[in-house]
Amino acid sequence: MNAETNTVNYLVKLKNRFLVAEKTVALQFEKPTGFVFKPGQYIDVTLLHPSESDGGGNIRTFSIASAPHEEFLMVATRLRESAFKRQLPDLALGTELKIEGPSGGFTLHNNPERAALFLVGGIGITPVRSILLRAAKEKLPHRIVVLYANRRPEDAAFLDELTALQRENPNYTLIPTMNKMENSARSWNGETEMIGPKLLEKYQEGLASPLYYVVGPPGMVNGVHAILNQIGIDDDDIRSEDFGGY
Ligand SMILES: Cc1cc2nc3c(=O)[nH]c(=O)nc-3n(C[C@H](O)[C@H](O)[C@H](O)COP(=O)(O)OP(=O)(O)OC[C@H]3O[C@@H](n4cnc5c(N)ncnc54)[C@H](O)[C@@H]3O)c2cc1C
């Protein structure tokens, strides 16, 4: 137990690994006995026996993408050219890693009379998947709308799963938006704007005193936060999780 943060260290084994979008890998770990977390929280993951290292070190913070009722812990990340990430596609199943957590307060509000409007950039979908699966499983009455922005469908992790989840939860709507369809091999007849005043006005209409949840890379989070303020949303109604490091 870390006295300052109340987080706990665990050794966990890698159980499964698969792509969830182009250059985007999900890692599933065994869930340690007694590991309790709230959807939306994150963990620190340490590579214990790195085959290479660089200035970025051997630890990364990842939101927990799995829901508490799932039997595994899952994180998902964009594969990039850091030493840490270069090792992920080759980690043998059974490899032991250290996780520390859970931490963070990017969690769904309790009052179901207020709607939740999630504004998600790319890999920022990880904590939102956990929140959405829990809401469906527990039949939460909250009205939840998710604006999920990517360049192309190929980049959008968990897109099919979270689209299908709408059938299990009538209170939840997913609005994916793709702003670089000229680079995609797929067809698309959904939204193509970046998250901005036009999409916000369209999809917040009719929501009961919404809370706004902004999550993704820092540039996206700061930009969307500023737009929310410009259209008159008070900081008290905005919660954000900034994936520092991107
Ligand atoms: C609360 C939180 C949740 C996150 N959840 C996810 C997630 O679910 N999926 C995901 O892909 N990424 C997530 N991130 C970002 C993740 O921790 C990495 O920073 C990111 O994936 C980039 O790593 P990299 O190896 O590609 O880049 P690098 O090139 O290693 O990182 C760039 C620089 O940022 C530094 N850095 C790395 N991590 C952090 C950090 N956490 N804070 C500040 N500086 C850092 C490195 O030391 C390096 O100097 C999250 C970050 C935070 C803070």
Side-chain angles (χ1 to χ4, degrees):
M1 172 87 72
N2 179 327
E4 282 181 13
T5 60
N6 280 333
T7 59
V8 182
N9 292 321
Y10 301 89
L11 294 179
V12 295
K13 287 197 173 119
L14 182 65
K15 286 184 69 174
N16 204 356
R17 178 193 43 218
F18 47 91
L19 288 180
V20 286
E22 226 173 80
K23 295 187 186 154
T24 308
V25 70
L27 304 175
Q28 288 182 351
F29 310 113
E30 61 191 9
K31 187 155 63 174
T33 310
F35 186 86
V36 177
F37 69 97
K38 288 187 178 169
Q41 290 194 295
Y42 60 83
I43 51 177
D44 287 338
V45 176
T46 304
L47 296 178
L48 292 174
H49 308 291
S51 56
E52 56 168 323
S53 266
D54 64 12
N58 302 318
I59 307 177
R60 291 293 182 278
T61 302
F62 295 122
S63 297
I64 303 171
S66 48
H69 63 270
E70 293 182 292
E71 65 182 12
F72 49 81
L73 275 181
M74 179 169 68
V75 299
T77 187
R78 300 289 196 213
L79 292 172
R80 305 202 313 174
E81 273 307 310
S82 62
F84 184 101
K85 298 241 178 128
R86 272 197 297 271
Q87 295 169 70
L88 300 183
D90 298 322
L91 280 185
L93 299 188
T95 299
E96 209 165 47
L97 300 99
K98 186 174 96 175
I99 64 167
E100 180 173 353
S103 307
F106 187 72
T107 53
L108 187 66
H109 58 274
N110 290 328
N111 178 1
E113 282 167 24
R114 298 193 70 177
L117 180 53
F118 284 87
L119 308 169
V120 181
I123 194 62
I125 198 66
T126 47
V128 183
R129 179 190 182 273
S130 181
I131 290 168
L132 293 174
L133 262 72
R134 175 218 170 196
K137 171 87 178 165
E138 296 182 14
K139 300 197 185 311
L140 295 186
H142 299 66
R143 175 80 180 107
I144 302 177
V145 176
V146 179
L147 274 175
Y148 181 23
N150 283 272
R151 294 189 174 88
R152 308 167 305 153
E154 291 92 323
D155 303 314
F158 307 114
L159 180 60
D160 292 343
E161 180 188 22
L162 297 182
T163 300
L165 192 67
Q166 293 173 107
R167 290 199 290 271
E168 286 176 42
N169 181 356
N171 300 320
Y172 151 61
T173 307
L174 180 71
I175 314 291
T177 178
M178 307 293 161
N179 75 338
K180 281 273 185 277
M181 280 310 295
E182 63 273 24
N183 298 335
S184 173
R186 297 195 198 163
S187 61
W188 184 252
N189 52 20
E191 297 287 358
T192 54
E193 302 247 337
M194 292 175 74
I195 296 174
K198 199 170 148 198
L199 286 187
L200 286 168
E201 270 158 38
K202 184 168 169 186
Y203 290 108
Q204 71 181 356
E205 204 183 320
L207 295 183
S209 50
L211 280 163
Y212 297 78
Y213 293 82
V214 191
V215 56
M220 177 268 171
V221 170
N222 292 336
V224 171
H225 195 123
I227 291 167
L228 287 173
N229 287 155
Q230 279 160 24
I231 65 169
I233 310 300
D234 194 278
D235 279 344
D236 281 353
D237 294 331
I238 305 173
R239 299 182 179 184
S240 56
E241 190 79 296
D242 159 341
F243 281 11
Y246 271 108

